[in-house]
């Protein structure tokens, strides 16, 4: 050991950042806990091909700690190898794992790289979030809605699609009540219910409220789709759930055209289908919440449905099996939606609290309100189509 | 219900929950006697209960009720799995015929004034067409065609018939969610005790549970309060299965739905767990029940929420997983130590 000429980069086996004088704060806390310094440097400064990676991984932190000249690699190689020898590396089997201390040190460096100097509080928040998720310590409501996951993950994934791919433009967002129950009624199109997802993102970003979609029973039968749908706030489109949610003051979204609307051929685009049996109007009447009509232009063009294979669809238990100009032809590539320009317009809310108490049981009144909503959406669709200069503009 | 106190007859005392309830009821100051009835003697401490070895499937039970002057009958011997009793036929015999005989005996006994039947939320079934929360007025979306769910549906039918024929009797039907607790042996509890939990691939059911103490509490409350009606009984809140296994720190084995059935057969023969068809549909679609009526009309509030009941259960289950959580916890600890230190050494 030639002490005079060596300014060590390594730590001589002690945990530390490489001054060789006094270990860093992180290193001290490491040393306090684990209490077995010997095995730790061993995998890093392993005898043979190891060293090249060992010192390199130590270097990035070096300038931060103290701007020392970087020593030639050979010295580094000799120095820590001498006192401990290669023996420890042999004891540890390759599958024995990396000690937790090393993980922490590596994580430490990485965190600084990723989060910058203010990384500690940021990382603490991220860790707290991850731990909450991993230990199951989060809340879902009675419908299975996981607000945290939806906001932090689902909407974050959908947002760029809405903003960059479809360039969604929203009009009349002020028509959505800021509080209390309300029923958003929308036209349905696009072969795959992308319009529902885009509506969820747009409503959340414009009003901060979570849209609770009502889905067909098929949604809750399909694996993966069903668990995602419940976590994102959906529930089954049935009178019980709709009324329960509206009474609970939620903003509920409904697509009364159902499969008739979403699976209609491209030639029928922007022609509203029958609005179910008016169940959504009864639910709104019973709970006295306003109906907000929503017209979506753009969703029709994402997967232009030009054909259908009814026999195969029946065999698979699906309402339709779409053929688009690209879908079976280009394989998975055909699943990419066309980047049409989307316009969303929320109309004036239709009040339902002025009717008499028994109004929901008056079929004629229910049909009238249904037609009123349908007509509003249809007229707005025409107006929006006039506004849009071309499909992809 | 005179000054002498009440005489309570409890069926199904050979099982743990029945025995515990009978024991607790015997200690109640307003209860004079508790008579436990079962075909097998109970194991463990029976306290002040007097045990009568009788089969509720034959008319002997009528004699017991008449002789002891029973005024309150608590029917707890509806079993959810064949278990040790034998096959499915035996189970159906015990559940349905037993209930019929018991109700027939009660109808003939003028002394009977209260009937409490422990039913289950399984009666609502579980399917993709279910509303999120079942209220007591809702029917299952598909009528059960076999198994436990059908037994329970039939039993409830007989109980309603009895309530019509004896309007003077307070009939309380308690539809309890799956009961769990540190010592409970039930299909859900043994499922959650498995070292690795098989789940249905792509589904994350919502579940509600009831703590065993709350089950005993609500039975006692129903006996003393005398509020006739049908009530859903469950802890507040719902948890998804993925949340439950994370809280229990157990690894999961996601299997496609059909494979779970095959596995269920193997596990049943190995006596580890039982995947009845009802259990499978519960683990696929989940179920929630609305407990507003329990709180407002029955006047009972469970002490444990679903999450708290599960935490109590988890405290007695040795975790077999949870590595990620431990790693994150260690990281968090380090981070806390680090931020606690002065900033200078980082310089």
């Amino acid at each position: 050991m030639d002490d005079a000429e060596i300014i060590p980069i390594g730590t001589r086996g002690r945990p530390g950042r490489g001054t060789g004088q006094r270990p860093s704060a992180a290193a001290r806390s490491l040393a306090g806990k684990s209490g077995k310094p010997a095995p730790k440097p061993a995998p890093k400064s392993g005898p043979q091909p190891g060293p090249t990676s060992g010192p390199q991984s130590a270097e990035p932190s070096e300038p931060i700690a103290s701007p020392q000249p970087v020593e030639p690699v050979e010295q580094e190689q000799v120095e820590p190898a001498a006192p401990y020898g290669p023996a420890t590396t042999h004891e540890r089997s390759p599958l024995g794992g990396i000690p937790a201390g090393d993980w922490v040190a590596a994580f430490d460096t990485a965190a600084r790289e990723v989060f910058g100097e203010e990384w500690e509080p940021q990382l603490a928040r991220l860790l707290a979030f991850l731990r909450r998720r991993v230990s199951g310590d989060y809340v879902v409501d009675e419908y299975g809605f996981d607000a945290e996951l939806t906001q932090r993950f689902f909407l974050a994934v959908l947002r760029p699609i809405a903003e960059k791919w479809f360039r969604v433009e929203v009009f009349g967002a002020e028509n959505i009540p800021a509080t209390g129950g309300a029923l958003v009624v929308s036209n349905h199109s696009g072969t795959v219910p992308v319009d529902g997802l885009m509506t969820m993102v747009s409503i959340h970003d414009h009003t901060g409220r979570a849209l609770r979609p009502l889905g067909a029973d098929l949604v809750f039968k399909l694996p993966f789709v069903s668990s995602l749908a419940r976590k994102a706030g959906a529930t089954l489109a049935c009178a019980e759930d709709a009324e329960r949610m509206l009474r609970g003051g939620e903003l509920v979204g409904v697509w009364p055209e159902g499969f008739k609307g979403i699976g209609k051929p491209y030639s029928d685009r922007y022609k509203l289908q029958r609005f179910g049996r008016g169940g959504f109007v009864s639910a709104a009447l019973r709970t006295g919440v306003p109906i907000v009509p929503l017209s979506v232009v753009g969703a029709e063009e994402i997967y232009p449905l030009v054909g259908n294979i009814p026999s195969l669809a029946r065999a698979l238990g699906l309402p339709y099996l779409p053929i688009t100009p690209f879908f079976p032809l280009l394989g998975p590539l055909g699943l990419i939606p066309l980047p049409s320009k989307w316009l969303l317009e929320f109309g004036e809310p239709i009040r339902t609290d002025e009717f008499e108490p028994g109004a929901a049981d008056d079929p004629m009144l229910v049909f009238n309100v249904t037609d009123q909503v349908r007509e509003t959406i249809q007229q707005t669709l025409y107006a929006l189509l006039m506004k849009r200069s071309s499909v992809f503009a | 219900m005179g000054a002498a106190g009440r005489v309570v007859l409890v069926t199904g005392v050979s099982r743990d929950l029945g025995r515990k309830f009978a024991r607790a009821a015997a200690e109640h100051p307003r209860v004079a006697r508790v008579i436990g009835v079962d075909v097998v003697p109970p194991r463990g401490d029976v306290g002040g209960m007097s045990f009568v070895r009788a089969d509720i499937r034959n008319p002997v039970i009528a004699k017991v009720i008449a002789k002891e002057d029973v005024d309150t009958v608590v029917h707890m011997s509806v079993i959810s799995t064949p278990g040790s009793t034998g096959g499915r036929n035996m189970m159906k015999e015990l559940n349905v015929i037993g209930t019929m005989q018991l109700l027939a005996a009660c109808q003939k006994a003028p002394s009977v004034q209260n009937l409490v039947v422990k039913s289950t939320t399984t009666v609502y079934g579980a399917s993709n067409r279910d509303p999120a929360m079942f209220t007591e007025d809702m029917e299952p979306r598909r009528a059960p065609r076999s198994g436990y769910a059908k037994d329970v549906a039939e039993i409830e039918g007989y109980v309603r018939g009895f309530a019509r024929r004896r309007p003077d009797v307070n009939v309380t039907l308690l539809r309890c969610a799956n009961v769990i607790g540190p010592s409970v042996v039930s299909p859900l509890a043994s499922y959650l005790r498995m070292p690795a939990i098989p789940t249905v691939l792509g589904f994350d059911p919502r579940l509600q549970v009831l703590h065993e103490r709350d089950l005993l509490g609500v039975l006692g409350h129903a006996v003393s309060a005398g509020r006739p009606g049908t009530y859903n009984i469950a802890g507040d809140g719902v948890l998804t299965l993925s949340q439950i296994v994370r809280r229990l720190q157990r690894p999961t084995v996601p299997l496609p739905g059909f494979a779970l059935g095959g596995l269920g057969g193997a596990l049943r023969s190995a006596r580890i767990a039982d995947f009845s068809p009802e259990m499978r549909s519960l683990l696929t679609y989940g179920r929630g029940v609305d407990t507003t009526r329990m709180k407002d009309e029955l006047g009972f509030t469970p002490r444990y929420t679903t999450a708290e009941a599960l935490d109590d259960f988890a405290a007695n289950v040795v975790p077999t997983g949870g590595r990620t959580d431990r790693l994150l916890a260690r990281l968090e600890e380090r981070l806390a130590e680090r931020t606690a230190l002065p900033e200078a050494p980082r310089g």
Side-chain angles (χ1 to χ4, degrees):
Chain A
M1 297 302 277
D2 215 344
D3 285 320
E5 55 180 272
I6 293 177
I7 304 167
I9 293 176
T11 61
R12 296 169 187 253
R14 277 173 291 118
R17 207 174 289 139
T19 57
Q21 307 300 315
R22 85 185 271 252
S24 71
R28 265 179 287 148
S29 58
L30 286 182
K33 196 85 180 180
S34 59
K36 40 166 188 174
K40 249 180 265 168
K44 261 192 190 173
S45 56
Q48 321 68 24
T52 43
S53 71
Q56 267 171 11
S57 67
E59 268 165 37
S61 62
E62 182 69 18
I64 303 168
S66 56
Q68 284 185 6
V70 178
E71 287 291 318
V73 175
E74 304 85 55
Q75 282 191 353
E76 172 68 16
Q77 217 170 338
V78 178
E79 196 265 327
Y84 296 101
T88 45
T89 57
H90 292 306
E91 281 172 25
R92 192 168 264 290
S93 83
L95 296 173
I98 302 170
D102 280 14
W103 279 115
V104 175
F107 197 71
D108 194 271
T109 320
R112 199 180 296 279
E113 293 290 325
V114 175
F115 295 103
E117 274 308 301
E118 274 301 298
W119 65 276
E120 273 148 344
Q122 284 209 42
L123 187 60
R125 275 199 296 278
L126 178 73
L127 274 180
F129 170 69
L130 284 179
R131 270 203 85 188
R132 255 199 328 276
R133 303 302 309 183
V134 167
S135 59
D137 191 14
Y138 50 90
V139 182
V140 298
D141 76 358
E142 56 189 32
Y143 308 96
F145 175 46
D146 189 336
E148 190 180 52
L149 189 69
T150 304
Q151 283 200 355
R152 285 205 174 206
F153 183 70
F154 293 147
L155 293 181
V157 168
L158 293 173
R159 194 163 292 124
I161 303 177
E163 285 173 0
K164 302 279 154 45
W165 189 258
F166 295 127
R167 294 145 289 144
V168 174
E169 246 179 276
V170 177
F171 305 97
E174 68 281 356
N175 287 324
I176 303 168
T179 53
L183 186 63
V184 176
V185 180
S186 170
N187 60 318
H188 210 12
S189 54
T191 311
V192 177
V194 180
D195 51 353
L197 302 177
M198 293 303 123
T199 309
M200 281 173 73
V201 180
S202 307
I203 289 184
H204 180 266
D205 290 355
H206 281 86
T207 65
R209 294 191 73 179
L211 181 75
R212 310 295 302 268
L214 300 183
D217 55 358
L218 178 70
V219 169
F220 300 98
K221 196 179 178 183
L222 298 173
F224 303 106
V225 177
S226 95
S227 69
L228 287 181
R230 282 236 175 255
K231 283 181 181 139
T235 193
L236 183 75
C238 62
E240 294 93 345
D241 279 13
E243 284 168 31
R244 194 180 172 86
M245 267 193 177
L246 290 171
R247 282 212 181 86
E250 302 281 356
L251 183 65
V252 179
V254 66
W255 291 263
E257 288 175 273
F259 292 119
K260 294 188 302 299
I262 192 170
K264 66 180 177 292
Y266 186 61
S267 52
D268 286 347
R269 59 191 178 278
Y270 299 116
K271 278 184 203 151
L272 285 189
Q273 306 295 303
R274 178 166 60 82
F275 260 31
R277 281 168 256 178
F280 71 97
V281 173
S282 317
L285 285 171
R286 284 214 179 86
T287 50
V289 301
I291 297 173
V292 182
L294 165 64
S295 315
V296 179
V297 161
E300 296 273 15
E301 291 91 3
I302 58 169
Y303 297 112
L305 190 130
V306 292
N308 186 7
I309 318 171
S311 51
L312 191 57
R314 256 200 307 281
L316 291 173
L318 298 173
Y320 54 87
L321 199 80
I323 297 175
T324 73
F326 308 106
F327 170 50
L329 204 64
L330 297 185
L333 219 59
L335 292 175
I336 299 173
L338 298 181
S340 54
K341 167 78 183 169
W342 285 41
L343 303 172
L344 265 62
E345 180 160 346
F346 295 93
E348 290 257 323
I350 298 164
R351 290 184 63 176
T352 60
D353 50 353
E354 289 164 334
F355 295 104
E356 286 129 40
D361 300 323
D362 177 359
M364 192 50 81
L365 179 78
V366 171
F367 281 134
N368 284 344
V369 178
T370 310
D371 280 346
Q372 185 191 346
V373 176
R374 188 170 176 274
E375 206 46 42
T376 312
I377 295 175
Q378 183 71 76
Q379 293 309 321
T380 318
L381 280 178
Y382 290 143
L384 285 175
L385 283 170
M386 298 288 284
K387 206 184 275 181
R388 192 173 66 159
S389 50
S390 92
V391 171
F392 301 107
Chain B
M1 291 178 275
R6 299 168 64 164
V7 182
V8 181
L9 181 121
V10 183
T11 66
V13 289
S14 71
R15 295 185 311 142
D16 207 37
L17 289 170
R19 178 179 62 83
K20 280 186 182 160
F21 171 69
R23 213 178 101 191
E27 281 160 18
H28 197 276
R30 281 172 52 210
V31 171
R33 284 198 71 187
V34 173
I35 301 145
V37 178
D38 212 323
V39 280
V40 187
R43 264 181 264 168
D45 185 9
V46 296
M49 172 186 88
S50 40
F51 175 71
V52 176
R53 186 165 183 163
D55 190 341
I56 57 170
R57 283 172 296 162
N58 67 48
V60 173
I61 194 74
K63 288 185 187 148
V64 175
I65 291 175
K67 183 167 157 269
E68 304 283 350
D69 211 17
V70 171
D71 60 56
T72 303
V73 175
V74 181
H75 184 33
M76 289 185 71
S77 71
V78 182
I79 56 171
S80 62
T81 48
S84 56
T85 55
R88 160 82 190 118
N89 285 338
M90 191 62 178
M91 168 184 159
K92 178 168 181 168
E93 189 91 342
L94 283 171
N95 283 346
V96 180
I97 309 299
T99 305
M100 283 178 80
Q101 283 285 357
L102 180 70
L103 293 177
C106 291
Q107 197 177 329
K108 284 280 172 212
S111 64
V112 173
Q113 284 164 14
N114 296 284
L115 173 69
V116 177
V117 179
K118 183 202 165 281
S119 179
T120 159
T121 53
T122 306
V123 77
Y124 295 116
S127 80
N128 60 323
R129 294 181 192 182
D130 287 350
M133 299 305 255
F134 278 101
T135 60
E136 286 84 349
D137 310 318
M138 293 181 194
E139 299 270 306
R141 290 295 154 124
R142 292 183 195 121
R145 271 166 300 179
S146 63
Y148 180 47
K150 190 181 178 204
D151 285 2
V152 178
E154 286 177 355
I155 289 168
E156 288 204 354
Y158 292 127
V159 171
R160 277 192 292 272
F162 172 80
R164 268 198 307 277
R165 291 190 293 270
R166 281 286 301 268
D168 59 313
V169 176
N170 286 332
V171 178
T172 314
L173 192 60
L174 303 174
R175 289 179 180 157
C176 303
N178 298 63
V179 179
I180 64 168
S183 61
V184 172
V185 179
S186 72
L188 187 72
S190 27
Y191 168 72
L192 293 177
R193 283 197 189 100
M194 289 169 73
I197 297 183
T199 59
V200 184
L201 183 69
F203 289 93
D204 196 6
R206 294 164 304 126
L207 300 174
Q208 269 177 325
V209 295
L210 181 67
H211 195 274
E212 58 173 319
R213 284 201 202 163
D214 282 327
L215 173 70
L216 302 180
V218 75
L219 285 166
H221 181 85
V223 167
S224 55
R227 304 251 169 88
T230 304
Y231 304 100
N232 291 335
I233 312 292
D236 286 339
V238 299
L239 288 176
T240 60
L241 182 61
S242 63
Q243 246 179 320
I244 290 175
V245 296
R246 286 174 195 184
R247 281 167 186 239
L248 293 174
Q249 302 199 343
R250 318 231 109 185
T252 56
V253 186
L255 297 171
F258 56 87
L260 201 65
L263 179 75
L267 289 173
R268 183 165 48 240
S269 33
R271 303 251 166 162
I272 297 170
D274 195 358
F275 288 93
S276 57
E278 303 86 58
M279 185 77 179
R280 282 211 302 279
S281 59
L282 177 68
L283 293 178
T284 311
Y285 302 111
R287 175 171 57 233
V289 293
D290 180 278
T291 55
T292 317
R293 207 188 269 183
M294 166 185 83
K295 288 176 192 153
D296 296 349
E297 291 176 30
L298 186 63
F300 177 79
T301 310
R303 277 169 44 205
Y304 291 82
T305 64
T306 291
E308 285 164 1
L310 196 89
D311 288 345
D312 191 40
F313 177 78
N316 293 282
V317 174
V318 183
T320 53
R323 288 176 65 126
T324 327
D325 183 43
R326 284 199 290 279
L327 181 71
L328 286 173
R330 208 176 297 151
L331 279 173
E332 214 169 35
E333 212 172 86
R334 301 268 188 241
L335 194 70
E337 278 171 24
R338 207 192 152 90
T339 31
L341 286 173
E343 292 289 300
R346 281 212 296 137

